[in-house]
Structure formats: C-alpha cells, structure tokens
Short mmCIF file of all heavy atoms in Angstrom, two decimals:
data_model
loop_
_atom_site.label_atom_id
_atom_site.label_comp_id
_atom_site.label_asym_id
_atom_site.label_seq_id
_atom_site.Cartn_x
_atom_site.Cartn_y
_atom_site.Cartn_z
N SER C 15 -0.73 11.00 -75.36
CA SER C 15 0.62 11.26 -74.94
C SER C 15 1.03 10.21 -73.84
O SER C 15 0.21 9.84 -73.04
CB SER C 15 0.75 12.65 -74.33
OG SER C 15 2.04 12.84 -73.79
N ASP C 16 2.24 9.81 -73.90
CA ASP C 16 2.72 8.91 -72.81
C ASP C 16 3.38 9.75 -71.70
O ASP C 16 4.08 9.22 -70.85
CB ASP C 16 3.72 7.85 -73.38
CG ASP C 16 4.94 8.46 -73.96
OD1 ASP C 16 5.03 9.71 -74.07
OD2 ASP C 16 5.88 7.67 -74.29
N CYS C 17 3.13 11.02 -71.77
CA CYS C 17 3.64 11.95 -70.77
C CYS C 17 2.67 12.04 -69.60
O CYS C 17 1.57 12.54 -69.79
CB CYS C 17 3.82 13.29 -71.51
SG CYS C 17 4.42 14.64 -70.46
N GLY C 18 3.11 11.63 -68.47
CA GLY C 18 2.19 11.56 -67.32
C GLY C 18 2.48 12.68 -66.28
O GLY C 18 3.54 13.34 -66.38
N ARG C 19 1.57 12.77 -65.34
CA ARG C 19 1.79 13.77 -64.26
C ARG C 19 2.78 13.24 -63.19
O ARG C 19 2.69 12.04 -62.82
CB ARG C 19 0.44 14.06 -63.59
CG ARG C 19 -0.52 14.83 -64.45
CD ARG C 19 -1.70 15.24 -63.69
NE ARG C 19 -2.55 14.02 -63.61
CZ ARG C 19 -3.72 13.97 -62.96
NH1 ARG C 19 -4.12 15.01 -62.32
NH2 ARG C 19 -4.44 12.89 -62.96
N PRO C 20 3.66 14.06 -62.74
CA PRO C 20 4.55 13.72 -61.67
C PRO C 20 3.73 13.36 -60.42
O PRO C 20 2.63 13.83 -60.26
CB PRO C 20 5.40 14.94 -61.42
CG PRO C 20 5.17 15.82 -62.60
CD PRO C 20 3.92 15.45 -63.21
N TYR C 21 4.26 12.52 -59.57
CA TYR C 21 3.53 12.14 -58.35
C TYR C 21 4.52 12.14 -57.18
O TYR C 21 5.75 12.26 -57.34
CB TYR C 21 2.85 10.81 -58.54
CG TYR C 21 3.78 9.62 -58.65
CD1 TYR C 21 4.14 8.91 -57.50
CD2 TYR C 21 4.31 9.31 -59.89
CE1 TYR C 21 5.02 7.86 -57.65
CE2 TYR C 21 5.22 8.20 -60.00
CZ TYR C 21 5.56 7.50 -58.87
OH TYR C 21 6.44 6.46 -59.02
N GLY C 22 3.97 11.93 -55.97
CA GLY C 22 4.80 11.85 -54.77
C GLY C 22 5.48 13.12 -54.43
O GLY C 22 6.59 13.10 -53.82
N LEU C 23 4.88 14.27 -54.71
CA LEU C 23 5.43 15.54 -54.42
C LEU C 23 5.61 15.71 -52.90
O LEU C 23 4.64 15.51 -52.12
CB LEU C 23 4.53 16.64 -54.96
CG LEU C 23 5.04 18.07 -55.01
CD1 LEU C 23 6.13 18.20 -56.05
CD2 LEU C 23 3.91 19.01 -55.35
N GLU C 24 6.87 16.01 -52.47
CA GLU C 24 7.15 16.14 -51.02
C GLU C 24 7.95 17.39 -50.77
O GLU C 24 8.94 17.66 -51.54
CB GLU C 24 7.88 14.93 -50.49
CG GLU C 24 7.07 13.65 -50.49
CD GLU C 24 7.78 12.53 -49.79
OE1 GLU C 24 8.65 12.73 -48.96
OE2 GLU C 24 7.43 11.37 -50.13
N ALA C 25 7.66 18.06 -49.69
CA ALA C 25 8.46 19.22 -49.27
C ALA C 25 9.21 18.77 -48.04
O ALA C 25 8.74 18.04 -47.17
CB ALA C 25 7.56 20.39 -48.89
N SER C 26 10.50 19.26 -47.93
CA SER C 26 11.32 18.93 -46.74
C SER C 26 12.27 20.08 -46.43
O SER C 26 12.30 21.07 -47.27
CB SER C 26 12.12 17.66 -47.01
OG SER C 26 13.00 17.83 -48.07
N ASN C 27 12.98 20.05 -45.36
CA ASN C 27 13.94 21.06 -44.97
C ASN C 27 13.29 22.45 -44.93
O ASN C 27 13.84 23.38 -45.43
CB ASN C 27 15.17 21.05 -45.89
CG ASN C 27 15.89 19.72 -45.80
OD1 ASN C 27 16.02 19.11 -44.76
ND2 ASN C 27 16.36 19.27 -46.97
N LEU C 28 12.11 22.54 -44.34
CA LEU C 28 11.41 23.80 -44.33
C LEU C 28 12.04 24.80 -43.38
O LEU C 28 12.35 24.43 -42.21
CB LEU C 28 9.93 23.51 -43.86
CG LEU C 28 9.17 22.58 -44.81
CD1 LEU C 28 8.57 21.43 -44.10
CD2 LEU C 28 8.08 23.39 -45.48
N THR C 29 12.18 25.96 -43.85
CA THR C 29 12.61 27.10 -43.01
C THR C 29 11.57 28.20 -43.20
O THR C 29 10.63 28.10 -43.90
CB THR C 29 14.05 27.58 -43.42
OG1 THR C 29 13.95 28.33 -44.67
CG2 THR C 29 15.03 26.50 -43.50
N ALA C 30 11.84 29.36 -42.56
CA ALA C 30 10.86 30.49 -42.70
C ALA C 30 10.85 31.00 -44.15
O ALA C 30 9.81 31.63 -44.55
CB ALA C 30 11.29 31.59 -41.72
N THR C 31 11.97 30.80 -44.89
CA THR C 31 11.97 31.43 -46.23
C THR C 31 12.37 30.48 -47.34
O THR C 31 12.59 30.86 -48.51
CB THR C 31 13.01 32.58 -46.25
OG1 THR C 31 14.29 32.08 -45.85
CG2 THR C 31 12.61 33.69 -45.30
N SER C 32 12.37 29.19 -47.07
CA SER C 32 12.81 28.21 -48.11
C SER C 32 12.32 26.84 -47.79
O SER C 32 11.97 26.46 -46.66
CB SER C 32 14.31 28.21 -48.34
OG SER C 32 15.00 27.67 -47.24
N PHE C 33 12.34 25.97 -48.80
CA PHE C 33 12.11 24.51 -48.62
C PHE C 33 12.59 23.75 -49.83
O PHE C 33 12.80 24.31 -50.90
CB PHE C 33 10.67 24.19 -48.30
CG PHE C 33 9.66 24.60 -49.32
CD1 PHE C 33 9.32 23.76 -50.36
CD2 PHE C 33 9.04 25.87 -49.27
CE1 PHE C 33 8.37 24.13 -51.29
CE2 PHE C 33 8.11 26.22 -50.18
CZ PHE C 33 7.75 25.40 -51.24
N ASP C 34 12.82 22.45 -49.68
CA ASP C 34 13.23 21.59 -50.75
C ASP C 34 12.02 20.79 -51.22
O ASP C 34 11.13 20.48 -50.46
CB ASP C 34 14.31 20.59 -50.30
CG ASP C 34 15.57 21.29 -49.91
OD1 ASP C 34 15.93 22.37 -50.45
OD2 ASP C 34 16.32 20.71 -49.09
N VAL C 35 11.97 20.53 -52.54
CA VAL C 35 10.88 19.71 -53.12
C VAL C 35 11.45 18.53 -53.89
O VAL C 35 12.41 18.69 -54.61
CB VAL C 35 10.02 20.59 -54.05
CG1 VAL C 35 8.92 19.74 -54.68
CG2 VAL C 35 9.42 21.78 -53.30
N THR C 36 10.85 17.35 -53.73
CA THR C 36 11.14 16.21 -54.51
C THR C 36 9.87 15.61 -55.08
O THR C 36 8.81 15.81 -54.51
CB THR C 36 11.94 15.12 -53.73
OG1 THR C 36 11.14 14.71 -52.66
CG2 THR C 36 13.25 15.62 -53.19
N PHE C 37 9.99 14.92 -56.19
CA PHE C 37 8.85 14.20 -56.79
C PHE C 37 9.31 13.12 -57.63
O PHE C 37 10.52 12.94 -57.90
CB PHE C 37 8.01 15.20 -57.63
CG PHE C 37 8.71 15.83 -58.80
CD1 PHE C 37 8.65 15.24 -60.01
CD2 PHE C 37 9.47 16.98 -58.62
CE1 PHE C 37 9.35 15.80 -61.11
CE2 PHE C 37 10.12 17.58 -59.69
CZ PHE C 37 10.09 16.95 -60.92
N SER C 38 8.40 12.23 -58.07
CA SER C 38 8.74 11.10 -58.96
C SER C 38 8.14 11.34 -60.32
O SER C 38 6.98 11.81 -60.44
CB SER C 38 8.15 9.83 -58.34
OG SER C 38 8.76 9.52 -57.13
N PRO C 39 8.88 10.98 -61.36
CA PRO C 39 8.32 11.09 -62.71
C PRO C 39 7.29 9.99 -62.92
O PRO C 39 7.35 8.85 -62.42
CB PRO C 39 9.46 10.89 -63.64
CG PRO C 39 10.50 10.12 -62.81
CD PRO C 39 10.24 10.48 -61.38
N ALA C 40 6.24 10.29 -63.70
CA ALA C 40 5.16 9.33 -64.00
C ALA C 40 5.68 8.25 -64.94
O ALA C 40 5.27 7.11 -64.80
CB ALA C 40 3.98 10.01 -64.65
N VAL C 41 6.58 8.59 -65.79
CA VAL C 41 7.15 7.71 -66.81
C VAL C 41 8.66 7.79 -66.69
O VAL C 41 9.20 8.92 -66.65
CB VAL C 41 6.66 8.08 -68.24
CG1 VAL C 41 7.30 7.19 -69.28
CG2 VAL C 41 5.15 8.14 -68.34
N PRO C 42 9.35 6.67 -66.60
CA PRO C 42 10.81 6.70 -66.41
C PRO C 42 11.58 7.47 -67.48
O PRO C 42 12.64 8.02 -67.19
CB PRO C 42 11.24 5.21 -66.41
CG PRO C 42 10.00 4.48 -66.10
CD PRO C 42 8.84 5.28 -66.61
N THR C 43 10.98 7.62 -68.65
CA THR C 43 11.67 8.34 -69.73
C THR C 43 11.41 9.89 -69.71
O THR C 43 12.01 10.61 -70.44
CB THR C 43 11.29 7.84 -71.09
OG1 THR C 43 9.87 7.90 -71.23
CG2 THR C 43 11.78 6.38 -71.28
N ASP C 44 10.58 10.34 -68.79
CA ASP C 44 10.35 11.76 -68.61
C ASP C 44 11.66 12.42 -68.17
O ASP C 44 12.29 11.95 -67.17
CB ASP C 44 9.25 12.05 -67.56
CG ASP C 44 7.86 11.71 -68.10
OD1 ASP C 44 7.69 11.53 -69.34
OD2 ASP C 44 6.94 11.66 -67.27
N MET C 45 12.00 13.49 -68.80
CA MET C 45 13.30 14.17 -68.47
C MET C 45 13.18 15.67 -68.24
O MET C 45 14.20 16.30 -68.03
CB MET C 45 14.30 13.90 -69.62
CG MET C 45 14.58 12.42 -69.86
SD MET C 45 15.27 11.60 -68.44
CE MET C 45 16.94 12.19 -68.41
N ALA C 46 11.99 16.26 -68.39
CA ALA C 46 11.87 17.70 -68.25
C ALA C 46 10.53 18.02 -67.55
O ALA C 46 9.53 17.45 -67.79
CB ALA C 46 11.92 18.38 -69.59
#
C-alpha cells in the first residue's frame, strides 16, 4: 500500500477538558 502513517502529531491549546490536534499526512494524496 502507498498509504502511510501520519506523522508530526502535535497537541495545542490545552485546557482542563479539551485540546487541538494537528498532524501531517504521510502521502500528499491521503485524504481520510
């Protein structure tokens, strides 16, 4: 498969009950 693992997982805007997450796709054509 040309389907790779996401990388660069980062958490930000941390509160006591929530946070935001961002990451990068392994392959530019990954969409889900």
Side-chain angles (χ1 to χ4, degrees):
S15 172
D16 63 353
C17 177
R19 288 186 283 176
Y21 67 94
L23 192 69
E24 291 186 26
S26 62
N27 300 321
L28 297 126
T29 72
T31 59
S32 69
F33 59 90
D34 295 333
V35 176
T36 58
F37 62 92
S38 296
V41 178
T43 56
D44 289 344
M45 301 300 287

